[in-house]
Amino acid sequence: MQIPVGVVSRVDLGRLVREIDALDAYLKSAEVRQGGSANSLPKTSKLMDELLQLNNKNALVAEERTQMKEFLAQLRDDAPSIHMSFSADPSPLFTQKLIAWLRQNIHPLLLLQIGLQPTIGAGTIVRTTNKYFDMSLREFFADKKPLLLSKMRNSVTEPVEQAVEASGAAVAASAEEVAKTEPVAAQEVPTATAAPQPTVTSEAVS
């Protein structure tokens, strides 16, 4: 037997089991009241209709109802199951595509339990009975933390080093320009000479 993609978890299986029980009780009571005449099937859920159609079963036949009920009960107890956590509730369409892929590639009767962990950011965390896979964005950042810190340090130190190198180059260029400038020639200062002294003669004295 098979189960439709709309049956995702054990909760869905429990609903189907209860619906079959209700159908069984209704049809048996109707048969007793009408003295074994033909009975009509009451309105069933869309998921029940898909289950009956997929397995080619008729809910009006007591034996087939019993087979479906036993199959669902056993599946609820023994089916393989995995747990997947997301940061937000996945859409029904995404869930159906996911369960279809899992049943095609892992097990045709696999059940899925979905949990919420908003702190993982994005991605998912997968748990089985003996395995654990963390494929979240939080775990990715944790693995890349040394690289992230290194990049952050480089982004801070590189501009400072470039500024120091630029200022050093400017100082060196200024010193080179000063060195190329010719020194101003010193002006010669004339030396002071002694004034000539008048000659005193005897005639002048007399």
Side-chain angles (χ1 to χ4, degrees), residues 136-177:
S136 64
L137 184 63
R138 179 184 62 187
E139 183 67 15
F140 177 80
F141 279 156
D143 291 339
K144 302 297 181 182
K145 184 177 180 180
L147 178 61
L148 180 62
L149 293 177
S150 175
K151 293 294 184 181
M152 292 176 64
R153 284 194 294 266
N154 291 339
S155 65
V156 174
T157 57
E158 285 180 0
V160 175
E161 293 175 354
Q162 292 175 359
V164 172
E165 291 178 358
S167 61
V171 172
S174 299
E176 185 177 355
E177 291 295 330

Side-chain angles (χ1 to χ4, degrees), residues 10-11 25 50 78 109 126 128 176 199:
R10 286 186 167 85
V11 175
E50 292 178 358
D78 302 330
L109 299 177
V126 181
T128 65
E176 185 177 355
T199 305

